[in-house]
Amino acid sequence: MALVLVLTAAGLGYLLTRAPDTPHAATAPVIAPATLEIASTPPGAAIFIGGEPTGLVTPATLTGVGPGDLEVRVELPGHQPSARVLDLKSGARVRHTFELTAEEGRLALGGLPPGASILVEQVAHPAGEVITVPAGRHELRVVVAGETIARQTIDIVAGLQAWELRGRDLVPR
C-alpha cells in the first residue's frame, strides 16, 4: 500500500511539473525592447522623445525603448524643427535620418545711393530687392561704381529684417 501511495504521488508530481504537449497551450508573448538610431542632416540636432528633451544630439542610439508608436522630434538652431511618429516593433532596430531645412531670413536695405549693389557672401543683388538668405551670420557689402562704401557682418534671423545705410554703417530700422 505504501508503494502505491508513493507511485501515485510521483505520478501526480510529474504531471503537474511537465510542460503541456498540446499545440494550443497558452504562452506569454515575449516583448523585447527596441533600439532606435536617430541622425540628422546636418548633425547636432537636439532629440525630443514624446515632447520631452533627451539631452542627446544627433547622431545618437537609444536602447531599451519599448515597442509601439513613438514621437521623435529634432531641433537645430537656424533650422526648422522636424518630427515623425515611428512604429517600433518588439526587438527591432530602427534607423531614421531627419533632413533639416535651414530657416530663411529676408533682408531689405534702405537709404542706398542710386546704382548701389548689395553683395551677400559675394553674390550681388540690386538695390531695392528683398534678399532671401539662410538664417545665420553673413557678410554684406554695399558697392557703388565698383567701390565698397560699407562692409558689415550681420546675423540674419527667420522673417523680414529691415536695415538702413547711415554713413558707412548698416543699422537696423
Side-chain angles (χ1 to χ4, degrees):
M1 181 76 168
L3 182 60
V4 172
L5 288 175
V6 169
L7 290 176
T8 303
L12 283 173
Y14 171 76
L15 289 174
L16 292 174
T17 59
R18 73 181 186 100
D21 56 346
T22 58
H24 58 278
T27 57
V30 176
I31 298 176
T35 299
L36 179 59
E37 296 177 9
I38 303 171
S40 67
T41 303
I47 301 171
F48 295 79
I49 301 293
E52 297 296 323
T54 64
L56 301 172
V57 296
T58 59
T61 301
L62 289 79
T63 57
V65 181
D69 288 343
L70 188 66
E71 180 197 356
V72 180
R73 185 178 81 242
V74 295
E75 295 181 3
L76 183 65
H79 295 78
Q80 295 176 2
S82 183
R84 182 161 186 173
V85 175
L86 301 174
D87 179 22
L88 303 179
K89 303 291 184 205
S90 177
R93 182 175 203 92
V94 175
R95 294 180 180 103
H96 185 75
T97 300
F98 290 89
E99 300 293 331
L100 299 176
T101 303
E103 290 181 333
E104 292 185 332
R106 294 175 308 162
L107 180 64
L109 296 176
L112 300 174
S117 293
I118 301 98
L119 278 79
V120 181
E121 308 297 345
Q122 306 302 322
V123 176
H125 302 272
E129 177 181 287
V130 175
I131 303 165
T132 301
V133 294
R137 185 166 280 217
H138 295 278
E139 180 185 79
L140 276 67
R141 289 190 312 140
V142 178
V143 178
V144 177
E147 179 186 338
T148 298
I149 63 168
R151 177 187 302 243
Q152 191 166 327
T153 300
I154 63 173
D155 290 316
I156 305 291
V157 296
L160 180 64
Q161 294 176 196
W163 291 70
E164 187 173 327
L165 181 64
R166 292 191 190 148
R168 297 185 66 83
D169 295 321
L170 293 169
V171 293
R173 280 200 260 179

